[in-house]
Amino acid sequence: MMKFLDHLEEWMIALLMALATLITFTAVLHRYGSGVSALQPILAHINMSWAQELTIYLFVWMAKFGAAYGVRTGIHVGVDVLINRLSDKTRAKFIVFGLLAGALFTGIVGTLGANFVWEIAHTDQTSPDLEAPMWLVYLAIPSGSYLMCFRFLQVAWRFIRTGELPKHEHGHVDGLEGDEALDNLHPHDLKHGDKS
């Protein structure tokens, strides 16, 4: 189960991005093809007005899963100047507190979102162009928030056990091997002092 969950965000983001790209590409081809007199009789009866709305909804879902991915991989921006100046024991307490606060916040947002989705599911609200039930659109809020909550708890548990946080190498590109000294140019991350 954990092997599946460890790659859930990447699969969902890749799928949603591929769908959004394909839908946008198709809509653009339809728009320009409709201007060609030879293709106009064929394309005139095809309605693609829903494409933009669906693409927006796909990006909303992508953002929610991307936020959970950011927690799992450590790519969210954080201000840690003061925390890095604390002693190791005190710093660890603040890190655990921050992770648990993130889990609490995303858990609350997920619960409020789930209640909202439950209430809107009992109405007849539909999206303007797709005419899809709006609860499907808003389901991104509890889904992404609960996944983020899980990732915060997962990172906190790993930190308590090992003392390690997920770290994203900003200069690293998967599949591209190069000079190890250039992989991470941030001064805080240079472990061997001055290399000049």
Side-chain angles (χ1 to χ4, degrees), residues 114-171:
N115 287 335
F116 180 73
V117 168
W118 178 258
E119 288 175 15
I120 205 167
H122 292 88
T123 68
D124 292 332
Q125 288 188 20
T126 58
S127 62
D129 294 327
L130 283 171
E131 296 181 4
M134 284 306 291
W135 69 267
L136 284 174
V137 175
Y138 290 117
L139 191 61
I141 297 167
S143 300
S145 297
Y146 282 140
L147 185 58
M148 267 183 91
C149 180
F150 172 73
R151 293 302 181 198
F152 272 119
L153 293 172
Q154 186 182 34
V155 170
W157 177 250
R158 186 178 303 137
F159 179 76
I160 290 167
R161 283 189 352 197
T162 66
E164 293 179 8
L165 288 170
K167 186 165 186 324
H168 179 73
E169 301 289 338
H170 298 287

Side-chain angles (χ1 to χ4, degrees), residues 9-135:
E9 293 97 334
E10 290 103 328
W11 294 333
M12 288 301 296
I13 292 167
L15 174 67
L16 294 169
M17 193 176 296
L19 283 172
T21 303
L22 180 65
I23 290 166
T24 302
F25 179 71
T26 304
V28 168
L29 283 181
H30 178 266
R31 185 177 305 131
Y32 285 104
S34 296
V36 176
S37 57
L39 296 175
Q40 192 172 19
I42 299 168
L43 299 176
H45 67 279
I46 299 174
N47 180 12
M48 293 288 294
S49 64
W50 52 267
Q52 182 178 2
E53 183 179 299
L54 180 57
T55 303
I56 290 168
Y57 295 153
L58 291 173
F59 274 103
V60 168
W61 276 81
M62 204 182 318
K64 292 302 288 180
F65 282 101
Y69 175 77
V71 172
R72 183 172 63 83
T73 58
I75 60 175
H76 280 291
V77 175
V79 180
D80 57 0
V81 174
L82 295 176
I83 290 179
N84 285 338
R85 294 181 182 266
L86 299 173
S87 68
D88 289 344
K89 191 174 182 180
T90 307
R91 180 174 47 230
K93 290 177 184 177
F94 273 98
I95 289 172
V96 170
F97 173 77
L99 291 170
L100 293 178
L104 177 65
F105 175 75
T106 53
I108 290 170
V109 170
T111 302
L112 293 174
N115 287 335
F116 180 73
V117 168
W118 178 258
E119 288 175 15
I120 205 167
H122 292 88
T123 68
D124 292 332
Q125 288 188 20
T126 58
S127 62
D129 294 327
L130 283 171
E131 296 181 4
M134 284 306 291
W135 69 267

